Amino acid sequence: MDANEIKRQICEQLEALKSLKKIVVILGPRQVGKTTLLRQLTVGASNVLSFDCDNADERMALEGKSTTELAALIGKSPVVVIDEAQRVRNIGMTLKMLGDLHLPSQIYVTGSSSLELSDDINEPATGRVLEFNLYPFSISEIASHTSWRDEQRLLSRRMIYGSYPDIVNNPEHARLLLQNIVNSYLYKDLLEYKGIKKPDVLRKLVVALALQLGNEVSYNELSNMIGIDKETVENYIDLLEKCFVVFRLDSYNRNLRNELKKGKKIYFYDNGVRNAVINNFAPLELRNDAGALWENLMMVERRKLHANTGRFVQQYFWRTTLQKEIDLIEDCDGNLSAFEFKWKVGKVAKVPTAFRDAYPDAVFHSINPSNYTEFVS
């Protein structure tokens, strides 16, 4: 399979927003296909002005320029691409000036994480940019290129090796490539950031989160386990989110006195990265975490779906002090949907009585390998 030929679902959303003439900023982890997405967005366009900011000469062309100089640089180019923009010093101010020029050009900007780029952009360029996240391939995107029948056959592979483009393209080298992604990119982005002073502690934290996949996490427990204070745990997890390694899910509480008020679950954006962190690529039949891997896959696939299609949905998990729980609660404009994820097809998931009584209008779904396609597409 040639991963470069897989159409990214977010393209349709971005195409529909061209009339707004905003600067489009696309953030995502390294190796996730941002450059390929830019090619898909600009296919058929003439006179595309591109800046690869990994190249020092092209980066310098954008640094320290006045509004007049930027206007002359862009000229009448209908499409402008600034790739790896986090390399450009004061990129936020540069984008602000470009936005203030009100050029007819459609400007696309990419960055390999939100650590440097998003923070630099948000304050000076507020109102001038539209920000989007790009993740590893969704199962729906791959199935649109091949077939759902093929993806059903490869479901266990997605659970173990994930769906980074390089992994999808080179399945025979998946383990080696994933270890390279984790060691050369994941940790590299984080360890280069000024807030990381204890790299060994960071690695231990990532492993601890990987081993607690699908479970509620306690910052106090993580603090005691790793030997750092609770504030550092929280700061490091925040950085892991900004580097698109993990994301947090808060507990849902509205009506019941015994609902958890401050609980959190943490999921990985890619199953393959999670398994590489703990160096476990054993087949599902030999694992005791297959259920957690299924839950993580469904959580992240749903997150990709909402991001790629521009759906505004709030996500939570639900649990009571009596340990009654539901994996995912989605609130879309006040309409509640509840989802329980079961890896074993024959295992019936029942809505807890306490939840049904408190939220009688909520729609409940049990998601398993026999019916997941609609949920992720």
Side-chain angles (χ1 to χ4, degrees), residues 31-54:
Q31 303 292 297
V32 83
K34 295 185 297 297
T35 302
T36 301
L37 173 63
L38 290 177
R39 286 199 295 268
Q40 292 180 354
L41 288 170
T42 58
V43 64
S46 58
N47 300 320
V48 177
L49 179 61
S50 295
F51 298 91
D52 177 1
C53 298
D54 278 333

Side-chain angles (χ1 to χ4, degrees), residues 231-249:
E231 184 179 352
T232 301
V233 168
E234 192 163 0
N235 289 339
Y236 279 15
I237 289 176
D238 183 60
L239 294 177
L240 287 167
E241 280 198 280
K242 289 182 176 178
C243 268
F244 301 100
V245 181
V246 302
F247 60 93
R248 284 176 277 199
L249 206 64

Side-chain angles (χ1 to χ4, degrees), residues 139-140 143 146-153 372-373 376-377:
I139 290 177
S140 179
T146 55
S147 70
W148 278 108
R149 182 177 180 180
D150 283 344
E151 277 309 292
Q152 187 68 34
R153 178 176 56 84
Y372 77 98
T373 55
V376 303
S377 62

Side-chain angles (χ1 to χ4, degrees), residues 50 87 100 123 164 167 210 229 255 306:
S50 295
R87 304 288 189 197
D100 288 344
E123 187 171 343
Y164 265 78
I167 307 307
D229 61 81
N255 293 339
H306 294 326

Side-chain angles (χ1 to χ4, degrees), residues 30 52-55 59 63 83-91 110 112 116-117 188-189 192:
R30 297 176 187 269
D52 177 1
C53 298
D54 278 333
N55 182 302
R59 182 168 68 244
E63 290 185 352
D83 203 7
E84 298 297 340
Q86 77 277 358
R87 304 288 189 197
V88 180
R89 190 172 64 252
N90 297 324
I91 181 61
T110 74
S112 57
E116 308 96 335
L117 187 54
K188 181 180 178 182
D189 274 349
E192 284 182 349

Side-chain angles (χ1 to χ4, degrees), residues 216-217 249-251 253 259-265 317:
E216 186 187 350
V217 299
L249 206 64
D250 292 328
S251 57
N253 61 86
E259 286 175 327
L260 293 184
K261 301 297 189 292
K262 297 181 180 180
K264 292 187 185 299
K265 283 188 172 186
F317 74 96

